[in-house]
Amino acid sequence: MAASYDYDDTAGYDDVNGGSRHQQSDLGYDPNFVPDSVKTFVVHLYRHIREKNVYEIHQMYEGSFQKLSERMFKESPWPSVDAVAPYVDNDHVFCLLYKEMWFRHLYARLSPTPKQRIDSWDNYCSLFQVVLHGVVNMQLPNQWLWDMVDEFVYQFQSFCQYRAKMKNKTEQEIALLRQYDQAWNVYGVLNYLQALVEKSMIIQILEQEKEGLEQFTATDGYDYNGGSNVLKVLGYFSMVGLLRVHCLLGDYHTGLKCLQPIDISQSGVYTIVIGSHITTIYHYGFANLMLRRYVEAIREFSKILLYIFKTKQYHQKSPQYEQILKKNEQMYALLAISLSLCPQVKLVAEDVNTQLREKYGDKMMRMQRYDDEAYALYDELFSYACPKFITPSAPAYDEPLVNYNQDAYRLQLKLFLYEVKQQQLLSGVRSFLKLYSTISIGKLATYMEVDEPTIRSILMTYKHKTHAVAGDGKIVSNADVDFYINDDMIHVTETKSTKRYGDYFMRQIVKSKTGLSHPIFSLRILIPPKFSQAVPSSNSWKGDFVILF
């Protein structure tokens, strides 16, 4: 669907509506007119939902809805829910689902009015209330359930950005914001996501699955016994939604804690939907980067970038393809930042490293200098690749109205660049430690042109900055060069990667062999004279062997 990741990733902080979207126009649009193709669509979709035909629902949701939107509603909303309700027996739950799709299309292609933003919030509240407290006897595709959570978080983010730009608000807009002050309230958003997690009991289900008592992942979250998957899967994806919201708020510890029940080292339901997979790893990696867990960030960015590199051709016809490429580029930028702060290239897959050097090789070299140009590059890459942070609080209406939509971003950028600045001393220490296996504190102090108490402080800073607290509470090292001190002598321990020459040669063989009929290379094995004398006299034995590849 059009809802994938952050719509405003394609725009800057000042463009809440996504740049190229058309302004909404009522010219020629009749919300009560329902074309025959739309009647057919809603009737068939309603029937398939009642029959729990997940395959057909998915085909209509991913295919038919997109095609109709492209052909008939490129610059206008779909018919209103009141207009289509008679064709679906005025079914309350179906109408809520239809409105959810209606608003998502509106946000993707047009520019929602303030009232439409609030109406969409009300619809999500009604839909989630039914799921949490009603009897939902449906099976919906994972893609649709993911899009619900994803769009819910996006519209919250979009509303916060919209509300924070107060300078040019009309009196009517301000009056509306005052009247509906609980719409898209941060506590309401967090409470709904948390309620879906708790009510679905998804954490307990995942725990039982580890003991072999549940089959949630094996069945992709679907219920093959005639039940419903809606609450369970919404609860599952809500954990990713909570991670994303907390990242937007700058609370990385809490975000990672919300994701803990999902083992991201293994395939799971979150990897089935490409949007969910990328969003999860993007925010997980970013949160680890901001918490100085560089090794974990590098490892996960490398894995997902390799996955996209190998599979992106299969998504070229997907409506999400542009967003996949966008997130792909952002994660390369975050990987460049992570490797510049923590040189651990051995953790990066060769294909990913090749792509990274093509995109950011020159910039990464300059980022190592820690001068003004380096800080500007860190600023540039961070601003391009970071989430669109939000300030969730309402404005002070009685004070002069100002725009504060960039305040949260500026704060996170300031904290990040402060961390980068602290790495400046570590660069010098690391370069000296790489030259020695042992070196006295006094000698290192002389080389760095500081006194011994200062070098001890620098070494303590190095230890602090190259270690972080992992999610399980253990202290983990991010250092490629580590050390310990014994009797004023520094003993250096360097982590060296194991070079896999065999893999390299096999890849080159495969590349070179394409289109060639003759051997690629020969391996000549020489036989010492004393052995060659014992070899039978034959044309096939010449004192050495030649093996052709």
Side-chain angles (χ1 to χ4, degrees):
M1 291 301 296
S4 55
Y5 330 131
D6 301 324
Y7 281 122
D8 59 353
D9 276 348
T10 55
Y13 268 89
D14 295 327
D15 188 357
V16 179
N17 294 320
S20 63
R21 290 177 202 157
H22 301 281
Q23 293 295 314
Q24 193 173 176
S25 172
D26 293 329
L27 187 63
Y29 169 66
D30 180 2
N32 296 316
F33 173 68
V34 183
D36 290 340
S37 54
V38 174
K39 291 178 190 175
T40 304
F41 173 80
V42 295
V43 167
H44 281 80
L45 182 61
Y46 176 55
R47 190 183 78 219
H48 293 318
I49 289 176
R50 293 194 63 177
E51 294 172 351
K52 298 184 181 179
N53 190 335
V54 177
Y55 176 80
E56 290 296 339
I57 298 170
H58 182 79
Q59 293 300 311
M60 297 196 70
Y61 175 78
E62 277 283 273
S64 305
F65 186 76
Q66 290 296 332
K67 290 174 183 175
L68 286 171
S69 296
E70 186 66 27
R71 193 173 82 238
M72 304 180 66
F73 305 107
K74 205 168 186 176
E75 298 181 21
S76 66
W78 273 59
S80 68
V81 66
D82 293 334
V84 303
Y87 305 107
V88 293
D89 301 331
N90 291 295
D91 186 279
H92 178 60
V93 176
F94 182 87
C95 287
L96 292 174
L97 292 172
Y98 177 83
K99 283 180 73 176
E100 193 269 337
M101 295 168 66
W102 189 95
F103 281 115
R104 181 137 28 95
H105 170 265
L106 179 76
Y107 269 82
R109 293 182 179 269
L110 306 167
S111 180
T113 66
K115 186 62 169 66
Q116 286 170 335
R117 292 177 184 273
I118 292 164
D119 289 343
S120 184
W121 162 255
D122 289 339
N123 187 68
Y124 272 117
C125 291
S126 300
L127 180 58
F128 290 155
Q129 287 288 348
V130 168
V131 173
L132 289 167
H133 305 295
V135 178
V136 179
N137 189 24
M138 295 184 298
Q139 293 252 42
L140 294 180
N142 288 328
Q143 180 70 59
W144 194 347
L145 295 171
W146 160 250
D147 286 344
M148 283 184 200
V149 174
D150 186 52
E151 181 73 8
F152 180 63
V153 176
Y154 163 68
Q155 290 189 19
F156 163 64
Q157 171 193 338
S158 177
F159 183 84
C160 289
Q161 292 283 351
Y162 159 78
R163 184 176 56 187
K165 298 177 71 174
M166 292 299 296
K167 239 179 180 178
N168 299 320
K169 291 280 189 291
T170 63
E171 291 184 7
Q172 291 84 356
E173 285 180 296
I174 294 172
L176 198 69
L177 289 174
R178 283 176 176 270
Q179 181 182 354
Y180 297 99
D181 58 337
Q182 293 303 305
W184 296 110
N185 178 281
V186 62
Y187 298 112
V189 171
L190 290 171
N191 285 341
Y192 271 120
L193 293 173
Q194 189 61 42
L196 288 168
V197 173
E198 293 177 2
K199 183 77 173 180
S200 66
M201 300 187 70
I202 188 62
I203 296 176
Q204 293 87 334
I205 290 171
L206 294 176
E207 285 296 324
Q208 290 176 348
E209 187 172 48
K210 292 176 184 177
E211 301 171 6
L213 303 175
E214 282 282 352
Q215 294 290 311
F216 180 77
T217 304
T219 60
D220 295 342
Y222 294 109
D223 190 327
Y224 293 113
N225 296 319
S228 172
N229 70 327
V230 173
L231 179 57
K232 285 191 296 185
V233 177
L234 278 178
Y236 181 90
F237 286 136
S238 290
M239 290 188 285
V240 180
L242 285 167
L243 166 66
R244 183 175 164 193
V245 171
H246 286 298
C247 280
L248 294 175
L249 298 173
D251 187 355
Y252 308 109
H253 280 287
T254 305
L256 291 176
K257 189 176 179 181
C258 292
L259 194 70
Q260 270 185 343
I262 299 177
D263 183 0
I264 66 162
S265 67
Q266 304 291 329
S267 296
V269 175
Y270 79 97
T271 62
I272 295 169
V273 181
I274 184 68
S276 164
H277 192 182
I278 293 176
T279 297
T280 302
I281 302 302
Y282 167 79
H283 289 93
Y284 178 85
F286 184 82
N288 277 289
L289 168 62
M290 295 300 283
L291 293 174
R292 297 205 327 270
R293 301 173 187 172
Y294 302 119
V295 168
E296 185 66 16
I298 292 167
R299 183 183 293 114
E300 293 305 323
F301 282 141
S302 176
K303 283 162 57 178
I304 189 67
L305 288 169
L306 182 62
Y307 174 77
I308 295 172
F309 178 78
K310 291 181 176 180
T311 63
K312 65 182 179 183
Q313 66 268 25
Y314 303 117
H315 300 283
Q316 288 182 355
K317 295 183 179 180
S318 167
Q320 301 176 343
Y321 186 63
E322 287 186 11
Q323 289 291 346
I324 292 172
L325 295 183
K326 177 68 176 178
K327 271 289 178 280
N328 184 64
E329 293 303 312
Q330 286 183 307
M331 286 191 287
Y332 269 112
L334 292 177
L335 182 59
I337 290 173
S338 302
L339 287 170
S340 298
L341 295 173
C342 175
Q344 292 275 20
V345 182
K346 68 179 184 295
L347 299 174
V348 182
E350 185 179 326
D351 288 331
V352 173
N353 191 45
T354 301
Q355 294 284 315
L356 180 67
R357 296 300 164 186
E358 289 179 3
K359 297 173 187 291
Y360 293 109
D362 181 54
K363 288 185 177 180
M364 289 175 69
M365 291 282 288
R366 287 183 281 160
M367 286 161 72
Q368 293 296 321
R369 295 203 292 260
Y370 292 99
D371 53 14
D372 289 343
E373 184 187 12
Y375 292 129
L377 288 171
Y378 276 110
D379 185 330
E380 174 193 328
L381 294 188
F382 182 87
S383 300
Y384 167 70
C386 69
K388 307 307 179 200
F389 301 106
I390 57 174
T391 302
S393 57
Y397 296 107
D398 298 328
E399 297 179 7
L401 300 178
V402 295
N403 291 344
Y404 61 96
N405 57 305
Q406 292 198 35
D407 288 359
Y409 154 71
R410 291 195 185 105
L411 175 60
Q412 295 299 319
L413 177 63
K414 179 181 176 182
L415 292 172
F416 170 74
L417 292 179
Y418 182 66
E419 180 64 36
V420 170
K421 197 169 185 66
Q422 290 182 320
Q423 299 277 347
Q424 186 172 14
L425 281 175
L426 305 189
S427 177
V429 172
R430 182 185 287 113
S431 61
F432 281 113
L433 293 179
K434 282 191 172 185
L435 297 175
Y436 294 90
S437 58
T438 57
I439 183 174
S440 67
I441 289 179
K443 193 174 182 180
L444 183 59
T446 302
Y447 286 155
M448 294 195 68
E449 300 178 352
V450 295
D451 55 27
E452 288 196 22
T454 302
I455 198 64
R456 288 181 182 275
S457 296
I458 292 173
L459 291 171
M460 284 296 293
T461 303
Y462 183 91
K463 278 288 186 182
H464 172 65
K465 290 298 181 182
T466 56
H467 288 74
V469 181
D472 57 4
K474 294 180 180 177
I475 303 295
V476 294
S477 172
N478 293 311
D480 57 332
V481 180
D482 209 348
F483 67 90
Y484 64 92
I485 299 175
N486 186 18
D487 294 333
D488 290 340
M489 187 64 72
I490 304 170
H491 297 264
V492 181
T493 56
E494 184 173 357
T495 306
K496 292 186 177 180
S497 59
T498 304
K499 294 185 178 180
R500 293 170 294 203
Y501 298 107
D503 292 347
Y504 173 80
F505 278 113
M506 290 303 295
R507 280 192 293 271
Q508 299 310 311
I509 291 168
V510 172
K511 288 179 182 177
S512 303
K513 201 168 183 178
T514 306
L516 298 178
S517 57
H518 56 77
I520 306 305
F521 62 86
S522 63
L523 175 62
R524 186 176 296 273
I525 305 175
L526 296 178
I527 302 179
K530 64 178 182 178
F531 289 110
S532 62
Q533 292 171 4
V535 174
S537 177
S538 167
N539 290 335
S540 61
W541 298 83
K542 300 296 184 183
D544 60 8
F545 296 131
V546 176
I547 303 174
L548 301 180
F549 291 84

